[in-house]
Structure formats: structure tokens, C-alpha cells
Amino acid sequence: MSQRILDNLKVIQQRIENACRKANREVNEIKLLLATKTVDANRIKMVIEKGKTLIGENEIQEVKQKYDELKNISHQKHFIGHLQSNKIKEVLKYDVSCIQSLDRISLAQKLQKRLELENKTINAFIQVNTSAEESKFGISPNEAIGLAKELANFDRIHIKGLMTIGLFSAEKEKVRTCFKLLKSIQQEIIAQNIPKIEIKELSMGMSGDLEIAIEEGATIVRVGTAIFGERIYPDSYYWNEKNSIQ
Ligand SMILES: *Cc1c(COP(=O)(O)O)cnc(C)c1O
């Protein structure tokens, strides 16, 4: 089991290298984020020990469960799932360094308040729904720039990039359209020169589509299944409010 994970990790690194070569990019421009939902702390540790120190969790419940076992091993934790505002306190309590799923102003308002109260700051990405699927979270592409401008007013929240989940489709060109869209939103935000909004990171690409994402400019790819194996719950449990297992 554990050897399988380490073998998978090598395959992923190879895939990232190949994609970089094809896209004429440097491998060190791409960070691998381990999407660790449903993966127990022992297995996560194994991969962190191989130097892959960026993990992403979807549920605060899981962050909590794994916290003690992981706290003595140096790593960085991003939150990549849908964040309900009543979970903000806990996100801050368990050392999440970046919320990749900031997708609405109401969440930012509550987050800002809590950060002020605790005298903290946090990094965040704006999640954009580039596939126009009802079932996915994220702000719609035509509202993303407006949100970025509003977020400039929240001094405790440091916007560092954009995140998206591409369309699930075997049609690569349709998937590519999602990633191209995220890139173009990034370009537009940069062109607008919004004060305090820094938007270097593009978090896009997963087990099935990371090559396309790298070709289209990803700086972070989020990989779960291709390293840790299949999960019991379908992704709709995580991406759709009414099916949420929380
Ligand atoms: C689960 C998940 C991933 C990883 O998906 P895989 O297909 O298992 O690689 C990436 N991003 C988000 C937001 C996820 O929930």
C-alpha cells in the first residue's frame, strides 16, 4: 500500500516534468499540492517526508482529526473545499495558511472580522467557477474582477491567486477552455492594477487534467487520486452543498 503511494508520487512528478517540457516551463514553477481528503495522517506523512510539503483539505472536520498527528512535521496547509462561514474560527485555529476557496463577499466580511479579533492575517485565492456547472462552487467568471476589487478593502486577507476546478470531461479542449478562462481573468486583474491584490498563483489541474493546466499556466496542481488512490465518496459530496457530508 505505502509503496504504491510512493510509486504513484514518482509517476506524478514525471507527468509534471513532461508537461513542463512540453510547455517550455521550469519544473520549479509548479507546486504540487497533495489533495488529502479521506487520506489518513500516516499516509500523508509519508509523502510529506518525500519533500512534498503542501497539502490541501476540503473539510474542517478532517483538518481537526489529523492535526495532532501532523503538527510535528513541517508542512503547509491550504483549505480547498467549500467554506461555510460558521467554520471560519476553526480554519484559523488549525493553521490553515491559505483559503483557496474564497468565492463570496459575505465570507470575506466574516473572515476579516474574525482575523481582526484574533489579530491575524491569512492568504486567500479567489475560486472561480470556470465550467459554469451548477454543482460547483466559485464565483462566476464575469463577477470575479468585481470581487477582486472589493477584496482589496479587506486588509487582513491577502489575495495571492485564483483557483478553479476544470470541467470533468474527456474532451480535452473543453477542459482547456476552463483553464484558459482562469488565466485570462488573472491577466485582466493584473491589468487593472488593483492596490494590494497580488495574483501570481493559478491553482488549477488535478489527477486527470494536470498536463493541460500546466500548459495553460498553472502554478499549483492539486492531486489526490493519482497519488493516494480512489476515494470512497464521489467528489459531489465535497462540491455540492446539498450532498455535503459535513
Ligand atoms: C479532491 C480535490 C482535488 C483532487 O482531485 P483528484 O482528482 O483526486 O486529483 C483537487 N481540488 C479539489 C478542490 C478537490 O476537492
Side-chain angles (χ1 to χ4, degrees):
M1 189 65 219
S2 49
Q3 189 52 47
R4 164 85 58 87
I5 290 175
L6 298 180
D7 291 345
N8 288 345
L9 179 64
K10 286 195 185 129
V11 172
I12 284 296
Q13 285 175 290
Q14 195 60 57
R15 282 177 60 188
I16 292 172
E17 279 174 33
N18 292 345
C20 283
R21 197 169 309 124
K22 198 172 158 200
N24 237 323
R25 300 185 59 190
E26 300 290 331
V27 176
N28 63 14
E29 291 173 36
I30 319 291
K31 287 185 277 286
L32 171 63
L33 176 145
L34 309 168
T36 49
K37 55 177 177 270
T38 76
V39 180
D40 63 60
N42 275 333
R43 289 188 293 157
I44 298 171
K45 253 189 199 164
M46 268 177 32
V47 183
I48 293 177
E49 277 163 2
K50 292 288 167 190
K52 300 297 159 200
T53 56
L54 177 59
I55 73 171
E57 288 286 358
N58 288 66
E59 308 254 334
I60 197 66
Q61 201 54 40
E62 283 198 52
V63 172
K64 221 185 221 173
Q65 274 164 11
K66 301 170 200 177
Y67 185 76
D68 279 337
E69 275 184 272
L70 294 178
K71 73 174 180 217
N72 293 324
I73 176 164
S74 170
H75 69 289
Q76 246 201 342
K77 184 163 49 212
H78 287 189
F79 196 79
I80 62 172
H82 178 61
L83 182 57
Q84 291 164 308
S85 49
N86 62 359
K87 300 280 161 59
I88 286 173
K89 246 196 236 177
E90 286 181 293
V91 163
L92 300 183
K93 187 166 161 193
Y94 293 103
D95 301 339
V96 168
S97 64
C98 177
I99 297 169
Q100 291 203 6
S101 47
L102 187 58
D103 62 356
R104 58 201 191 278
I105 204 72
S106 60
L107 180 64
Q109 282 162 343
K110 288 181 181 133
L111 184 59
Q112 167 78 18
K113 262 205 189 129
R114 189 72 212 175
L115 288 163
E116 283 171 7
L117 199 72
E118 297 190 18
N119 196 19
K120 282 183 181 169
T121 61
I122 199 163
N123 291 340
F125 297 173
I126 298 171
Q127 182 178 358
V128 184
N129 184 350
T130 54
S131 62
E133 290 167 291
E134 283 281 319
S135 59
K136 282 184 190 152
F137 292 107
I139 189 145
S140 72
N142 57 8
E143 293 173 314
I145 293 165
L147 180 60
K149 284 182 182 159
E150 285 191 81
L151 289 173
N153 300 318
F154 296 91
D155 64 343
R156 301 274 167 166
I157 305 170
H158 300 155
I159 302 295
K160 300 287 184 189
L162 303 175
M163 185 272 260
T164 199
I165 301 168
L167 185 75
F168 281 116
S169 169
E171 292 178 65
K172 286 190 174 181
E173 291 317 302
K174 286 192 179 160
V175 179
R176 187 181 300 279
T177 305
C178 298
F179 298 149
K180 273 192 190 302
L181 180 54
L182 198 70
K183 178 78 194 179
S184 73
I185 294 169
Q186 178 199 36
Q187 295 307 313
E188 245 180 279
I189 293 174
I190 291 171
Q192 301 241 350
N193 234 327
I194 308 167
K196 287 183 292 189
I197 298 291
E198 193 191 316
I199 209 114
K200 289 203 186 107
E201 305 287 352
L202 281 184
S203 175
M204 57 189 194
M206 316 194 325
S207 292
D209 54 19
L210 67 92
E211 285 85 355
I212 306 173
I214 289 172
E215 284 168 30
E216 298 305 331
T219 63
I220 298 177
V221 292
R222 310 179 306 268
V223 181
T225 313
I227 294 172
F228 298 107
E230 294 291 334
R231 292 178 293 267
I232 302 167
Y233 299 111
D235 286 332
S236 56
Y237 278 112
Y238 296 90
W239 295 344
N240 186 312
E241 191 106 65
K242 60 177 189 293
N243 292 331
S244 179
I245 57 169
Q246 287 197 10

